[in-house]
Amino acid sequence: MSHLAAPPIAATETRRPGSAERRAMILAVAHELFLDQGFEGTSMSEVAARLGGSKGTLYAYFDSKEALFEALITDNCARMSAQLFEGPEDTGLEQRLLAIARGYIRLVTSDMAVRMIQILAAEARRRPELGRMFYEAGPAVALDRLSAIVAAAIADGTLDADDPRLAAETLLSLARGKLHLKRMLGQIPEPDEATIDACARRAVAQFLRLCRPIAP
Amino acid sequence: MSHLAAPPIAATETRRPGSAERRAMILAVAHELFLDQGFEGTSMSEVAARLGGSKGTLYAYFDSKEALFEALITDNCARMSAQLFEGPEDTGLEQRLLAIARGYIRLVTSDMAVRMIQILAAEARRRPELGRMFYEAGPAVALDRLSAIVAAAIADGTLDADDPRLAAETLLSLARGKLHLKRMLGQIPEPDEATIDACARRAVAQFLRLCRPIAP
DNA sequence: TATGCACCGTACCGTACAGTACGGTCAATC
DNA sequence: GATTGACCGTACTGTACGGTACGGTGCATA
């Protein structure tokens, strides 16, 4: 009936039974199902079945369906940020812009991110903080990196713009293009690497035409 | 048990009882509830209650919840297209571009469109054709109008670009900016007219810098 | 006044799902 | 060999919803 003894040491969360691997397994299954079928479209029984376990275990690790979902989103956002930081090169300005543009397009049109946006957008009314997590972990990260690069380029005269942040936004907007909206609405499949590259190159070229200082 | 006599004249749809006004009333209520709470989040009982009617009547006008939802989307898409065609002016190029950019931003960040995208995105897996309807009725319409204007401007030398359609897409991408994504994720409220105007002006200015022919 | 019809109100059916309860199994630990 | 605890399997509760059935009401027309 009542808890007689408190657990010896509280872990990062409330007292929980099992191993971190088990938790990761649950999250992996949840990832697969939630991203495929959405939040409402996925039942906890389904998660348990796919896990090869029982609902009891599920609820031992996560207090509710919502809690599991939020943990999943948190997890995925962390993964996203990490992915965006891949391959920071020490090359010229154009190459660095290209790398970021490519990474940004790749991320933002990937099946995972698109599904996340689709689901988070649908839940935006009830849980805007999840949308915020996504934005901070994805687009905001790209924007920060890009702003820094642009600011440096403005400082040494390679670029010309009033506001580095606004300029960075311009490049990302050009990079997204219509790809993103069409992806969100399920009108096109995940673009291949060639398409991503073409979009990134076009965006960077346009950006440079906008922000290259006119030769004096 | 069986239908003995067919109705005298089939209306635009299958034989249906009541008036077009009644249908419109149902759609109005459905609009309010579906856009506010989403498809799964809205129950037919709720629609009937808000209507001040009964579920029986609801199902007399629409075969299923899905049918009602699709009718609503169709309805809203038609309204959207109409809205985009407001105020075609006979002014200079820049003013015409500005008008379209403003109309596009206003539409694509409006509460109605954002809610529609949020809901349609969530349903994109199961019913991509609804997403297509939205795209065709909104963004594609703006793109068509803009392409025509850009093509004409290229023809008479006012603009310089290889592909008018691609150029038009560039303008729309610049216009959307980050506003759209943040709106989708529920991070910012509907922008006011001043914000819309500022975004439109910036987008058009950048577009013209990209596509103005360099003086020979 | 009688007939038909759109509509209301309500009760109902079948199903699906979140969350709980509980007995039993297996492995590690003591 | 006994205890502990994570876990399974299953059954269960309560609730919500899509959709149907049906008797009754009020208005229109014949």
Side-chain angles (χ1 to χ4, degrees), chain A residues 22 53 57 61:
Chain A
R22 195 83 176 133
T57 306
Y61 282 86

Side-chain angles (χ1 to χ4, degrees), chain B residues 34-176:
Chain B
F34 276 127
L35 287 209
D36 190 46
Q37 310 175 336
F39 179 71
E40 310 270 8
T42 303
S43 76
M44 291 297 266
S45 299
E46 208 175 347
V47 175
R50 180 80 129 249
L51 180 67
S54 75
K55 281 208 284 181
T57 305
L58 230 51
Y59 280 94
Y61 281 86
F62 299 95
D63 287 333
S64 66
K65 188 183 182 184
E66 303 241 333
L68 172 57
F69 181 65
E70 289 186 19
L72 169 65
I73 297 300
T74 306
D75 207 53
N76 280 351
C77 283
R79 226 196 305 269
M80 257 176 31
S81 294
Q83 182 189 325
L84 260 182
F85 271 109
E86 279 172 6
E89 310 149 45
D90 266 357
T91 57
L93 174 66
E94 189 169 342
Q95 289 307 313
R96 295 176 74 187
L97 296 181
L98 250 178
I100 291 185
R102 264 193 292 254
Y104 182 71
I105 297 175
R106 192 180 300 120
L107 169 71
V108 99
T109 63
S110 68
D111 276 336
M112 185 184 104
V114 166
R115 281 306 289 158
M116 280 181 67
I117 298 182
Q118 287 173 337
I119 294 171
L120 294 180
E123 302 284 319
R125 276 289 165 86
R126 261 177 305 176
R127 285 191 284 272
E129 73 279 5
L130 293 187
R132 191 169 169 280
M133 274 182 46
F134 177 91
Y135 192 85
E136 301 289 334
V141 166
L143 190 57
D144 284 346
R145 281 188 68 191
L146 203 48
S147 294
I149 293 175
V150 170
I154 292 175
D156 69 18
T158 325
L159 287 181
D160 175 32
D162 294 332
D163 182 348
R165 206 160 176 85
L166 249 157
E169 275 173 28
T170 299
L171 175 50
L172 293 186
S173 295
L174 289 168
R176 266 195 305 271

Side-chain angles (χ1 to χ4, degrees), chain A residues 28-99:
Chain A
V29 171
H31 177 96
E32 201 176 332
L33 291 180
F34 277 127
L35 286 210
D36 190 46
Q37 309 176 336
F39 179 72
E40 309 270 9
T42 303
S43 76
M44 291 296 265
S45 298
E46 208 175 347
V47 175
R50 180 80 129 248
L51 180 68
S54 74
K55 281 208 284 182
T57 306
L58 230 53
Y59 281 94
Y61 282 86
F62 300 95
D63 287 333
S64 66
K65 188 182 181 183
E66 303 241 333
L68 173 56
F69 182 66
E70 289 187 18
L72 169 66
I73 297 299
T74 306
D75 207 54
N76 280 351
C77 283
R79 226 196 304 271
M80 256 176 31
S81 295
Q83 181 189 326
L84 261 181
F85 272 108
E86 279 172 6
E89 310 150 43
D90 266 357
T91 57
L93 174 65
E94 189 169 342
Q95 288 307 312
R96 295 175 73 187
L97 296 181
L98 249 178

